[in-house]
């Protein structure tokens, strides 16, 4: 009889957003007429920017003619897209990243999941707490997390970097030496950002300790304030220690289209068992070519069109739209005395549950009494207990209605 990967049994419960969907469905079964507003999973609601849509229509036409038909594309992405990314997202901003360091994929969730497999089994992993659960779960599946401690609700083999009110939701450097550090900025779920100096401390730590920073920058387009770093490569030395993940999902309405990219600079090296330096980009390329057959031509044409002047303007309008929602939520919560964070450089609002209600109890209260679905903070880790996340990705109308319902609840 075949045996399973035993580490799958170490996973706790179901995946956060599946559990939320399950509870929502159960509630709807009992209350079929409930007009539920979902501000839970960070899924976008605005349609595709027209620049991307028309480029995709034209690409479909290409696929219908023998002369322009495409089969498998390069696994790493077409040059036209890799070059557009390198130029517009990096070189034009004074950052040294080349097109051949950009790997196009079908989503950052897959990339941040898959990246760990090119590192050693005994690599010590550090995550922020609260954290996007995928970083933890994929390391559990890989057998890197150790036993789960039910007292602390944490894996013994993972180093948790607590981000709470007491440290402004900004983690301290690890007290022990770690090999892989997942950082996400603008942060999901807290919506916080780091200053250049704060990010530099991480780069310096990684250089000193031979660590690799896995920098999830999926929400970069939402940065509004001057001086907040958009890319870790703005920090000197980051090319030697960091991998950066970016996505078109939240920026350009691509959650259903699927396109993202990962930057692996040629200067980033790690050791093999004999102590030799190995370029991480070569390993990532090897993994990509073995396990992935590339993003569709049509999708990549759509993504490339986002870098045209029209595409850029349409993205800016999308981001403005969602950030106006964020402000509505933030102002609404504050108007009834609820402590809330984020929502300024990120599409997420992180609120402290009133009267110390625990996160799932708050979820149930909001669902039952206001028919609103959000995300319990504890679902992102133990340090998220007593917090709750709302997303700004709803429609304006639903956001306004949700804010009205929340503020009327009486706190
Ligand atoms: C979230 O709600 O945290 C995100 O939508 C999850 C994701 O991007 O996979």
């Amino acid at each position: 009889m075949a045996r399973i990967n035993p580490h799958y049994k170490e996973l706790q419960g179901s995946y956060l957003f599946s559990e939320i969907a399950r509870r929502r469905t159960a509630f709807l079964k009992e209350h079929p007429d409930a007009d539920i507003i979902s501000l839970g999973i960070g899924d976008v609601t605005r349609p595709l920017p027209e620049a991307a849509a028309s480029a995709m229509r034209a690409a479909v036409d290409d696929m219908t003619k023998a002369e322009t038909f495409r089969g498998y594309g390069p696994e790493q992405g077409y040059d036209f897209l890799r070059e557009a990314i390198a130029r517009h997202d990096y070189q034009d901003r004074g950052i040294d990243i080349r097109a051949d360091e950009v790997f196009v994929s079908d989503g950052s969730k897959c990339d941040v999941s898959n990246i760990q497999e090119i590192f050693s089994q005994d690599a010590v992993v550090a995550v922020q707490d609260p954290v996007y659960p995928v970083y933890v779960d994929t390391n559990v599946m890989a057998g890197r997390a150790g036993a789960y401690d039910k007292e602390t609700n944490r894996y013994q083999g993972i180093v948790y970097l607590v981000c709470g009110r007491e440290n402004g939701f900004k983690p301290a450097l690890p007290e022990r030496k770690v090999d892989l550090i997942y950082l996400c900025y603008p942060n999901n779920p807290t919506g916080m950002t780091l200053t250049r100096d704060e990010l530099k401390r991480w780069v310096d730590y990684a250089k000193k300790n031979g660590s690799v920073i896995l920098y999830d920058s999926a929400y970069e387009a939402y940065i509004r304030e001057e001086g907040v770093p958009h890319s870790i490569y703005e920090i000197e030395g980051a090319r030697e220690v960091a991998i950066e993940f970016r996505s078109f999902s939240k920026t350009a309405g691509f959650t259903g289209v699927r396109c993202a990219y990962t930057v692996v600079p040629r200067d980033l090296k790690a050791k093999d068992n004999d102590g030799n330096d190995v370029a991480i980009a070569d390993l990532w390329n090897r993994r990509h070519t073995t396990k992935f057959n590339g993003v569709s031509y049509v999708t990549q044409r759509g993504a490339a069109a986002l870098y045209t002047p029209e595409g850029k303007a349409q993205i800016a309008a999308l981001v403005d739209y969602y950030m106006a929602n964020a402000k509505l939520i933030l102002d609404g919560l504050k108007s009834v005395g609820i402590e809330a964070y984020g929502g300024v450089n990120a599409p997420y609002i992180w609120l402290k549950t009133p009267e110390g209600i625990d996160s799932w109890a708050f979820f149930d209260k909001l669902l039952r009494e206001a028919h609103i679905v959000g995300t319990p903070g504890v679902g992102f880790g133990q340090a998220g207990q007593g917090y709750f996340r709302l997303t700004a990705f709803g429609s304006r109308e639903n956001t306004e209605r949700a804010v009205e319902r929340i503020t009327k609840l009486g706190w």
Side-chain angles (χ1 to χ4, degrees):
M1 176 80 88
R3 286 168 53 226
I4 61 159
N5 171 353
H7 302 300
Y8 271 65
K9 294 196 83 173
E10 290 154 9
L11 292 164
Q12 299 301 304
S14 51
Y15 180 61
L16 172 63
F17 294 106
S18 314
E19 175 59 19
I20 291 171
R22 192 190 65 73
R23 290 192 187 213
R24 179 187 200 269
T25 308
F27 182 82
L28 264 180
K29 217 168 164 192
E30 278 173 37
H31 307 87
D33 298 330
D35 170 22
I36 293 183
I37 299 176
S38 180
L39 301 182
I41 189 163
D43 195 6
V44 293
T45 51
R46 302 295 296 157
L48 288 181
E50 184 49 36
S54 47
M56 289 166 83
R57 286 185 205 105
V60 169
D61 281 347
D62 288 347
M63 297 294 277
T64 62
K65 297 181 207 118
E67 318 80 68
T68 46
F69 170 79
R70 316 269 177 137
Y72 291 128
E75 295 93 338
Q76 305 83 349
Y78 284 102
D79 285 346
F80 65 77
L81 180 55
R82 298 175 89 192
E83 277 159 17
I85 291 168
R87 186 162 78 250
H88 294 274
D89 285 345
Y90 295 100
Q91 294 158 8
D92 286 357
R93 298 178 182 186
I95 302 170
D96 174 23
I97 290 295
R98 294 194 317 260
D100 66 357
E101 296 173 318
V102 173
F103 295 82
V104 175
S105 79
D106 61 350
S108 282
K109 182 176 183 175
C110 314
D111 287 352
V112 298
S113 295
N114 291 325
I115 197 75
Q116 47 75 30
E117 75 175 51
I118 64 174
F119 295 96
S120 76
Q121 186 71 19
D122 61 358
V124 178
V125 172
V127 296
Q128 295 173 262
D129 181 6
V131 69
Y132 180 44
V134 170
Y135 313 151
V136 174
D137 283 1
T138 51
N139 278 289
V140 173
M141 291 169 177
R144 222 175 261 118
Y148 189 74
D149 180 345
K150 289 208 160 53
E151 296 276 301
T152 58
N153 290 330
R154 289 189 167 142
Y155 290 93
Q156 285 168 350
I158 289 190
V159 174
Y160 293 87
L161 309 167
V162 172
C163 302
R165 270 192 300 186
E166 56 293 346
N167 58 8
F169 302 98
K170 297 180 182 195
L173 295 173
E175 282 165 13
R176 61 176 285 200
K177 190 171 161 326
V178 299
D179 302 306
L180 301 177
I181 306 162
Y182 290 83
L183 291 181
C184 174
Y185 287 104
N187 188 256
N188 177 15
T190 67
M192 303 308 265
T193 51
L194 290 186
T195 64
R196 205 173 299 273
D197 284 349
E198 287 162 344
L199 192 51
K200 182 172 182 317
R201 258 179 254 147
W202 286 97
V203 170
D204 292 347
Y205 171 92
K207 284 183 90 163
K208 188 162 159 235
N209 292 282
S211 329
V212 175
I213 298 174
L214 305 170
Y215 195 75
D216 185 346
S217 186
Y219 301 95
E220 166 275 330
Y222 288 85
I223 295 173
R224 300 257 132 158
E225 290 179 321
E226 287 294 313
V228 175
H230 285 245
S231 164
I232 193 164
Y233 304 118
E234 290 176 36
I235 310 297
E236 204 191 320
R239 281 183 56 88
E240 291 152 48
V241 295
I243 294 174
E244 183 162 284
F245 304 90
R246 293 251 188 121
S247 170
F248 298 103
S249 283
K250 315 297 162 103
T251 315
F254 268 44
T255 51
V257 174
R258 311 304 305 150
C259 195
Y261 64 88
T262 290
V263 178
V264 190
R266 293 296 315 172
D267 303 354
L268 176 63
K269 310 264 166 59
K271 297 281 181 205
D272 68 14
N273 283 347
D274 301 321
N276 304 310
D277 281 351
V278 178
I280 295 295
D282 290 339
L283 301 188
W284 186 244
N285 189 56
R286 185 69 170 84
R287 191 218 72 93
H288 223 59
T289 48
T290 303
K291 295 194 170 183
F292 188 57
N293 258 340
V295 176
S296 79
Y297 169 71
V298 173
T299 297
Q300 291 192 60
R301 279 289 180 207
L306 299 168
Y307 292 102
T308 59
E310 309 77 60
K312 286 183 181 180
Q314 289 159 11
I315 282 184
L318 266 185
V319 171
D320 283 350
Y321 179 94
Y322 292 129
M323 289 311 281
N325 286 351
K327 183 165 168 24
L328 278 175
I329 298 173
L330 205 53
D331 291 350
L333 293 171
K334 289 185 174 167
S335 75
V336 288
I338 296 178
E339 211 179 300
Y341 304 89
V344 174
N345 293 307
Y348 293 125
I349 290 91
W350 186 240
L351 65 96
K352 183 91 197 76
T353 60
E355 293 151 15
I357 314 176
D358 85 46
S359 297
W360 278 110
F362 189 79
F363 174 92
D364 289 334
K365 179 179 167 71
L366 224 51
L367 180 57
R368 259 187 285 110
E369 297 177 21
H371 297 174
I372 292 171
V373 172
T375 309
V378 72
F380 297 99
Q382 197 50 31
Q385 182 57 282
Y387 288 90
F388 199 78
R389 194 194 76 176
L390 293 172
T391 131
F393 286 129
S395 67
R396 178 64 41 76
E397 191 199 349
N398 276 348
T399 305
E400 283 168 350
R401 289 164 64 228
V403 170
E404 197 186 329
R405 289 187 199 174
I406 295 174
T407 50
K408 275 199 181 138
L409 274 185
W411 299 97

